[in-house]
Amino acid sequence: MKSRRIVSIALTWPVVACGPKAPAQGPEVTAQVELNTANSSPPAAAAAPSVEAPGSPIAPDAIAISVTNPLPVAREHETVSVSAAQVGAVFPYFDLDKTTVVDAAGNPLLSQLIDIDGVEGPEELIFQVDLGPSETKGFKLRPSAREIPAREQFKVYGRFVRERHDDFAWENDRIAHRMYGPELETAAKEPLVSSGIDAWSKRAERLLINEWYQTDNYHDDHGDGADFYSVGKSRGCGGLGAWQNGKLFTSKNFTTSRVLANGPLRLVFELDYAAWSTGGSRVSETKRITLDASSSFNHFESRFKGGTFAAGLGISKHPGSQVHVDATGTRMHTWEPLKSGEAGNLGCAIVLPEGQGAAQQTESDYLLVTEVPKSGVLSYYSGFVWDKAGRVVDEPSWGKAVEGLQARLKAPVQVRLEVLPTARTWALLGADSMATNGAQVDANGAVHINSTELVALASVAAASKAPVYVDHLKRMAAASIQADGMLLGANAPDLSAFALGRALLTLRRTNAGVVDDQRALPAIGAVRARLQTMARTKEGLIGRGSAQPVQVWLDDAATLLPFMAEYAAAYGEVALYDDIAKQVAQIDQRLHSNSGLLVRAWDSAKQQKWANPNTGAATIVWSKALGAYASALADVIELLPATHPQRAAVVASFTRLASAIVKAQDPASGLWWQVTDAPKRDKNYLEAAGSSEFVFALGKAARNGWIDAVKFHAPIDRGFRGAVDVFAALDKQGRLEVKQGSPNIDVAPVLTPDASYVAYVVPSQSNDPDAIAAFTRAAIEAVAMPR
C-alpha cells in the first residue's frame, strides 16, 4: 500500500473510442473488405467519471477497525475511540470529519466526533460495541456525509442551569448528577458552599434533567426516580479536597463552566474553581468530567495550578452506610439506604486507574487519599448505582461491578486500524501484479501468455498512461507472436489463439502504439482465417474444435465472440456482427437452465454422459465460464453498432442473464459459488474469477444503460465489496493476492452429471491469472460506482 506508483498515478477512465482506423494494409484475409464506417461504428460507451487529478492521493474506500476484548469476560456498551492521529498514521488523507462507522454487515452505527480544541477538525471519533469474552469484532470507517442524530438517539446531556442558582447538571441513560455554581453561595433562601457532587437516582433511560428542572419537583419519585441523595458540604459522590495533617481543605463552588462535547454518546465539560488553601499553599483547579452513554462511572480529570499535594477523594458518610476499600488502595465503594431505606439503596464508588491511596475518614466523608502527580493532573473514576433501577441490586454485586471497571481500565479494548484500498487502488494493485508476472515459460521452453490479463491490463494502461504498464504490454504483445509469424497456439487444437488475437485487437484500440502492426496484423489475419474453418453444428453454433465438433462450450464462446466483435469493429466486417447475434440467440436457447442461468456446455448430438438426453445441455452452471461469457457479452455489446438490427436482441439476452445472475448472488457475502446454482452442495465454495466477472459485466452494463443502474446498483456494490472482503489481500510486500480462484476444468466425456459436480468442486487456488484479471476489471468498473 506504500507503492509510490499507486499514490501518484492519475486514473481517468476515458470514453472508449469507436475502434481503431483500418490499417493501410489489413490482415491478408480481409485485405479486400471495405470499411463501412456508417454501419460499423459501435455506439460510444458511457464515460466513466474522471477520478483523480494528477498527483492527488487515492483515498481508501474504507478503513477497517478491529476491536478486541482482551478479557475473558463480556463487555457491554464499550466505547471505542479512534483518534485522528491513528487514522492519519494509516492514511493521512482520510477525512475523519466525513465518515460513517458501519458494522460487519454494513449497517451504520451511531457515532460521535469529539473536537475539544476546536482546531483543524475532530481529535477522535467514538462509537459503542458489545463484546463477548475475548471476542474480536470488525467495523469500518467509510467516507460519507454524516447524518445528524435524532433527539431520541442522544444518551448523554449536560448544561449550565442558570435558573437554578448556577447548577451544572449532567446525565446519561443510567445516572444523573449536579454540582453547584457561584450564585448558590449567596442564594437568599438556601445558600450553600460546596464542591461536592450530587447524585440523582433515575430508573428511566431517557434524558430527564430538563424535565426535573422544569417542574422543580425532583425530590419526589413520580416513576422515573428523584434526587434522594444528601450532599450538603460533604464530598457527595466523588468530590475532592486537599488532605493535610488529618484535615480536608475544600474549594468553594465552581466559578465558570463550559461544555466541550455534548452527545449523542459522550459528554465532556469543564468546571473552574478559584484558588483555595490546601493547608500550606493555594491551588486552583480545572475539573474535566467525561461521561459516556450507558456507563455508571464518570471520568474526572483535575488539573491543579499552584503545587502538588495529597488529595482526598470522597464519598458522603451517611447513617447506615457501609464502606469497602480494597487491599491495594485503588478502589473504594459504599452502599447506603436512601431516606432510611424508603427510597432503596445507593452505591457510590471511586477507582484510581494509576497509583494508590489510603483510607481516611472525616466527620462527613469516607476518603481515599492519594498523591497528586507532579504533572498536576489527577485522574480518577467515580460513579454510582441505585438498586431500584434494577441493574445492580445489592452491595456484593456493586463491589463486583466496581472491580470490573478497574479490570477494564487495566485492559482496555485493543483497536487496530488497517486501510482498505479504493476500487482505483485495487485496479492498480491488479495491474502491478499482472505487469510483474510477465510471460510464463514452461519446462519445455514454451511461452504462455494469459490473454485475460492482457485485456485487463490494457484497460488500466489506457486509464493511467503509466509507462510501466504500457512497456509491459509492448513486451507481451511482441512475445505473443512466434518466430513463424503465428500467434501462440494458432495451430493448437485449443482456442488460445483467438483469445490472444482478441487481446491484440483490444490493445490496438485502447493503447495506440503498443502493438507492432507489421508483425501483429498477419498473425491476427491468420486467426481470422482459422475462424472460417471452425466446425459448426447444424444450428450454426461454433463447435469446440476438430476433436469435439458438435459440442458448444460457454467459455469457448467467451473467447470467440469478443474476437469477432473486435475484428468487425477494426475492419468493418459486418457479417461478423450478424454471426455474433446468431451465436448469442442459439446459446440462449441451447444452454438455458431453469434458473435462467446458462450451463457450461451443450452436446448437439446428445451423446455425452454429462448431457441431458433430451436437450443435450449439461447440468453444471460453472461461475468461471458463465462469468467469462457475461463479460464477453458486455464487451461485445460495447462494440456492436447501434444500427445493427439484432442489437436490441443481444442486449435483451444480456438483460435476462443479468437478472438471473443477481438472483444467484449469495445474500450473505454478495458473491457467487463455484457451481453457481448449488450453494448448499458439499465442497462448493465462493469463487473469485466468476464473481469478479459478474461484477464487471453488471457494472459495465449499468454504466452504459443496458440494464437499470438504480435497480442493479446494490447487487453490483455488494459484489465488489464482497470480492474485496473475501478474495483480495495484500501480502507482506504490499502486493495483491486474490484467493479462491477456480482452476481450469475440462470434464471428461465419460462423466455423469453427479461425477461432473465432483470434478467442478476441486480445491481453489490463489493468484489464478484469470481471477486476478477479472478482479482488476471489476475494480475498474467499481470506480464508476457511486460510493
Side-chain angles (χ1 to χ4, degrees):
M1 283 308 302
K2 303 250 178 153
S3 166
R4 285 175 294 176
R5 178 164 65 250
I6 292 174
V7 174
S8 63
I9 288 175
L11 284 179
T12 303
W13 312 125
V15 176
V16 178
C18 293
K21 294 180 180 179
Q25 183 175 355
E28 52 192 0
V29 297
T30 61
Q32 299 181 11
V33 174
E34 181 179 355
L35 179 62
N36 187 337
T37 56
N39 293 325
S40 65
S41 296
S50 176
V51 178
E52 303 288 347
S56 62
I58 299 170
D61 181 57
I63 289 180
I65 307 172
S66 174
V67 182
T68 300
N69 175 12
L71 296 176
V73 294
R75 303 167 83 139
E76 293 184 340
H77 308 294
E78 190 72 36
T79 300
V80 178
S81 172
V82 177
S83 71
Q86 286 176 292
V87 173
V90 297
F91 200 89
Y93 305 103
F94 202 81
D95 190 351
L96 192 62
D97 210 4
K98 299 177 181 177
T99 56
T100 298
V101 182
V102 298
D103 62 16
N107 301 309
L109 301 181
L110 183 67
S111 64
Q112 179 182 346
L113 295 171
I114 308 293
D115 184 5
I116 300 297
D117 61 14
V119 178
E120 294 184 355
E123 294 89 43
E124 63 179 322
L125 178 145
I126 63 169
F127 60 99
Q128 291 193 322
V129 301
D130 294 336
L131 295 168
S134 304
E135 183 181 18
T136 296
K137 283 187 176 180
F139 305 88
K140 291 178 183 177
L141 275 179
R142 291 204 185 282
S144 67
R146 291 184 58 79
E147 292 189 6
I148 299 175
R151 179 179 179 181
E152 58 271 15
Q153 291 180 286
F154 277 74
K155 298 181 179 181
V156 295
Y157 180 62
R159 74 177 180 95
F160 176 71
V161 188
R162 179 67 187 90
E163 69 270 24
R164 206 307 185 168
H165 305 301
D166 296 348
D167 279 355
F168 194 98
W170 73 99
E171 66 177 321
N172 67 5
D173 50 337
R174 291 191 176 185
I175 60 175
H177 291 279
R178 69 170 169 177
M179 295 182 75
Y180 308 125
E183 201 271 342
L184 186 61
E185 294 180 6
T186 58
K189 183 177 180 180
E190 189 182 1
L192 178 62
V193 178
S194 174
S195 55
I197 302 174
D198 200 0
W200 285 6
S201 303
K202 57 180 287 187
R203 62 170 62 86
E205 292 187 353
R206 76 180 190 280
L207 302 179
L208 289 169
I209 57 176
N210 278 338
E211 292 182 27
W212 285 357
Y213 277 114
Q214 184 178 21
T215 60
D216 197 24
N217 184 20
Y218 44 80
H219 290 96
D220 296 319
D221 186 356
H222 298 287
D224 295 326
D227 175 14
F228 303 121
Y229 196 66
S230 176
V231 177
K233 294 186 177 183
S234 75
R235 298 302 81 211
C237 187
L240 60 75
W243 181 256
Q244 179 73 19
N245 297 325
K247 185 177 180 181
L248 191 67
F249 297 84
T250 62
S251 65
K252 293 184 176 183
N253 300 10
F254 72 83
T255 58
T256 56
S257 66
R258 58 198 155 274
V259 175
L260 304 176
N262 210 354
L265 295 173
R266 173 173 289 176
L267 169 72
V268 184
F269 65 96
E270 289 183 342
L271 304 176
D272 295 323
Y273 291 86
W276 81 94
S277 173
T278 64
S281 61
R282 291 182 66 81
V283 298
S284 61
E285 177 192 9
T286 295
K287 188 188 300 288
R288 178 174 292 183
I289 302 172
T290 302
L291 177 62
D292 285 352
S294 304
S295 174
S296 297
F297 297 91
N298 301 269
H299 179 206
F300 290 85
E301 187 179 79
S302 290
R303 299 191 297 277
F304 298 101
K305 292 182 180 180
T308 58
F309 53 91
L313 311 178
I315 301 176
S316 294
K317 183 194 295 184
H318 292 135
S321 61
Q322 309 169 45
V323 64
H324 301 267
V325 181
D326 77 304
T328 64
T330 56
R331 64 181 187 269
M332 174 176 72
H333 74 271
T334 61
W335 189 260
E336 64 176 270
L338 295 171
K339 296 178 68 173
S340 301
E342 296 178 8
N345 298 277
L346 183 141
C348 183
I350 293 172
V351 176
L352 291 171
E354 297 177 357
Q356 61 182 26
Q360 298 287 348
Q361 293 188 31
T362 68
E363 183 179 340
S364 59
D365 293 293
Y366 301 111
L367 300 175
L368 191 62
V369 177
T370 186
E371 292 292 328
V372 173
K374 292 181 179 180
S375 65
V377 180
L378 176 63
S379 173
Y380 66 99
Y381 288 78
S382 178
F384 74 95
V385 292
W386 180 40
D387 61 356
K388 285 196 172 184
R391 298 184 184 90
V392 177
V393 297
D394 55 28
E395 185 277 326
S397 299
W398 177 227
K400 289 181 180 179
V402 176
E403 184 178 0
L405 169 67
Q406 189 175 53
R408 294 196 302 275
L409 293 175
K410 290 181 178 180
V413 293
Q414 299 164 359
V415 180
R416 188 172 70 89
L417 271 59
E418 180 184 2
V419 65
L420 299 180
T422 59
R424 307 168 183 87
T425 311
W426 284 120
L428 291 170
L429 287 167
D432 279 356
S433 175
M434 293 182 288
T436 301
N437 289 341
Q440 304 295 316
V441 181
D442 65 19
N444 299 318
V447 178
H448 298 273
I449 296 175
N450 188 286
S451 59
T452 59
E453 286 191 333
L454 280 179
V455 172
L457 188 56
S459 298
V460 181
S464 68
K465 309 299 182 187
V468 63
Y469 305 142
V470 176
D471 292 345
H472 176 72
L473 289 172
K474 287 181 179 178
R475 292 193 301 271
M476 297 299 287
S480 67
I481 304 171
Q482 302 175 127
D484 60 1
M486 302 291 283
L487 285 180
L488 293 174
N491 295 318
D494 61 29
L495 301 171
S496 60
F498 288 97
L500 279 176
R502 177 271 173 99
L504 291 179
L505 287 166
T506 300
L507 287 178
R508 291 184 70 254
R509 178 170 57 85
T510 59
N511 292 267
V514 167
V515 177
D516 180 358
D517 281 355
Q518 188 172 0
R519 296 188 65 220
L521 295 183
I524 293 172
V527 175
R528 171 65 184 90
R530 181 176 169 180
L531 185 63
Q532 298 292 104
T533 65
M534 293 292 291
R536 292 182 181 246
T537 69
K538 64 181 181 180
E539 295 83 3
L541 276 166
I542 301 173
R544 163 138 271 217
S546 57
Q548 299 162 314
V550 294
Q551 295 178 33
V552 176
W553 291 61
L554 204 59
D555 28 335
D556 294 347
T559 297
L560 289 164
L561 297 183
F563 172 80
M564 295 163 68
E566 289 281 6
Y567 196 93
Y571 300 110
E573 192 174 339
V574 179
L576 287 177
Y577 290 133
D578 300 336
D579 200 3
I580 288 170
K582 181 178 181 179
Q583 300 294 314
V584 171
Q586 283 291 313
I587 287 171
D588 258 10
Q589 179 181 350
R590 308 297 174 180
L591 280 71
H592 182 80
S593 72
N594 291 334
S595 64
L597 301 170
L598 301 175
V599 297
R600 186 188 183 186
W602 174 63
D603 175 22
S604 64
K606 304 176 184 177
Q607 295 177 346
Q608 299 299 313
K609 290 186 177 181
W610 50 256
N612 182 301
N614 297 318
T615 66
T619 59
I620 297 296
V621 180
W622 183 30
S623 282
K624 188 170 185 177
L626 182 59
Y629 179 76
S631 291
L633 206 53
D635 289 338
V636 164
I637 294 172
E638 184 178 45
L639 297 173
L640 194 61
T643 56
H644 193 278
Q646 294 303 311
R647 177 180 170 81
V650 175
V651 171
S653 293
F654 182 93
T655 302
R656 288 191 296 271
L657 180 58
S659 295
I661 288 170
V662 168
K663 288 181 181 178
Q665 188 175 27
D666 178 57
S669 65
L671 300 171
W672 288 264
W673 296 85
Q674 162 79 336
V675 179
T676 322
D677 56 352
K680 295 183 179 180
R681 285 194 69 174
D682 186 44
K683 296 183 179 180
N684 205 0
Y685 56 88
L686 299 169
E687 197 277 324
S691 294
S692 299
E693 294 279 21
F694 291 142
V695 172
F696 165 78
L698 295 173
K700 186 171 187 175
R703 175 167 57 85
N704 284 281
W706 309 328
I707 58 176
D708 187 336
V710 175
K711 174 183 176 182
F712 282 88
H713 177 276
I716 298 167
D717 190 52
R718 286 201 309 270
F720 182 68
R721 293 188 188 279
V724 169
D725 291 342
V726 176
F727 304 136
L730 300 179
D731 63 20
K732 293 181 179 179
Q733 287 72 42
R735 295 173 303 196
L736 174 66
E737 177 186 3
V738 177
K739 299 172 288 186
Q740 294 180 216
S742 170
N744 290 323
I745 298 169
D746 194 4
V747 181
V750 297
L751 291 182
T752 63
D754 284 343
S756 293
Y757 175 82
V758 174
Y760 279 97
V761 290
V762 293
S764 64
Q765 58 191 19
S766 290
N767 291 336
D768 171 66
D770 293 329
I772 292 175
F775 178 79
T776 303
R777 296 189 87 193
I780 291 170
E781 280 304 326
V783 170
M785 288 285 293
R787 309 313 292 168

